[in-house]
Amino acid sequence: MRQILLASCLIGLIAGCASPQVIKMKDGSSVTTPDEVEFNEETGFYEYEDVDGRLRTINKDEIVTIDNVHED
């Protein structure tokens, strides 16, 4: 019972820390990320992990805006 409670708390903590964002592109498309996007100054690309855990990159010149997803 104690292990189930601990696992539930950890899952809740991890889920509560997510900061999904919407990246709007110059071509009119958009990408919703499961967590916050980070800018890599060395490469000039924004980076995020997709829902499958793969690292994705987008050139800063292709992005119009990056907004937080507001959950109602």
Side-chain angles (χ1 to χ4, degrees), residues 12-65:
L13 181 63
I14 292 169
C17 293
S19 301
Q21 294 183 312
V22 176
I23 303 171
K24 295 180 183 172
M25 313 290 277
K26 286 184 178 178
D27 67 2
S29 64
S30 63
V31 176
T32 302
T33 67
D35 207 354
E36 192 169 334
V37 177
E38 295 181 9
F39 183 68
N40 184 327
E41 291 185 29
E42 291 179 14
T43 64
F45 283 76
Y46 283 91
E47 301 175 341
Y48 67 94
E49 283 189 21
D50 66 13
V51 294
D52 295 323
R54 292 179 292 204
L55 181 65
R56 301 293 183 174
T57 59
I58 302 175
N59 188 313
K60 68 176 181 168
D61 296 331
E62 297 177 23
I63 297 174
V64 177
T65 60

